[in-house]
Amino acid sequence: MGFSKKTGKNKAEKQEQQDQKRQETPEEKNQDNQPSQAEEKEKKQEVAELRAELEGVKESIQQKQEENEQLVARLQRAKADFANYKKRVEKSRFQDKIRAQEEIILELLPVLDNFERALQVNPKDKEARNICKGVEMIYKQLLTLLQEKGMEEIEALDQPFDPHFHEAVERVWVEEKPAEMVVEVIQKGYRMGEKVLRPSLVKVNKGGDEDE
């Protein structure tokens, strides 16, 4: 009998609890379904951590971009420096080549002068004339070779005297020539481009009256 009373009491309590649940308002049910303050705080903390992590990733990406830009700038500077270095080396080599050619030509100019003096001789016998022809051929070959290297003869005869290209060894009076005109070339001058290898040695007309 005691067991039956206890069982009946439990059933009555369960029935009462069920009746109370049926009597709960929708607002009370919603409150039961809503998360607790602790859960909301935890979610906010997770969101804050994710945002902080995202900001860190953004900063890392920006830093990498800046590093890449710096590397690109350094690479461009290195490329420009190498190009300038290459130009300087090429220019230096070219200048060294020109200087070497100038030195060789300067050493050969006296040889050229001697050929020209030899060709001024007018031999009378046939054998001497044949020798002169051979000398003339060698002279022309040498002159052509030097011209191919950039050597040019300086124009002097019947040209206005130019101290940049001519060196006056004597001033003479020639009536039919203008003043400061080159009237005779003692020794030919040569140049390479605008650089004078050797000025022309000349006589210059002083002009005016002979007594001046």
Side-chain angles (χ1 to χ4, degrees), residues 11-24:
K11 287 182 178 180
E13 290 176 353
K14 289 181 179 178
Q15 184 65 38
E16 186 178 354
Q17 289 176 358
Q18 289 176 358
D19 292 340
Q20 289 178 354
K21 286 183 179 180
R22 292 192 189 98
Q23 294 174 2
E24 287 179 352

Side-chain angles (χ1 to χ4, degrees), residues 3 5 17 26 68 74 86 90 93-95 98 105 131 133 138 142 148 154 159 171 185-186 188 193 200 203:
F3 179 78
K5 288 181 180 181
Q17 289 176 358
N68 288 338
R74 288 173 58 187
K86 186 177 179 181
E90 291 176 351
R93 288 178 179 174
F94 178 76
Q95 290 175 343
I98 294 298
I105 291 174
I131 294 174
K133 288 181 180 179
I138 298 172
L142 177 60
E148 289 175 352
I154 295 174
Q159 298 294 320
R171 288 187 174 273
V185 178
I186 307 301
K188 290 181 179 180
S200 302
K203 291 183 181 181

Side-chain angles (χ1 to χ4, degrees), residues 1 12 16 29 40 79 96 118 135 177 187 204:
M1 289 294 291
E16 186 178 354
K29 290 181 179 180
E40 289 182 359
K79 186 177 180 181
D96 291 341
V135 171
K177 298 286 186 180
Q187 185 182 68
V204 183

Side-chain angles (χ1 to χ4, degrees), residues 170-183:
E170 186 179 357
R171 288 187 174 273
V172 297
W173 185 83
V174 179
E175 184 177 1
E176 65 273 14
K177 298 286 186 180
E180 297 302 311
M181 176 75 71
V182 175
V183 294

Side-chain angles (χ1 to χ4, degrees), residues 51 56 63 66 94 148 151 165:
R51 287 179 178 175
Q63 183 179 359
E66 291 175 355
F94 178 76
E148 289 175 352
M151 187 195 77
F165 300 105

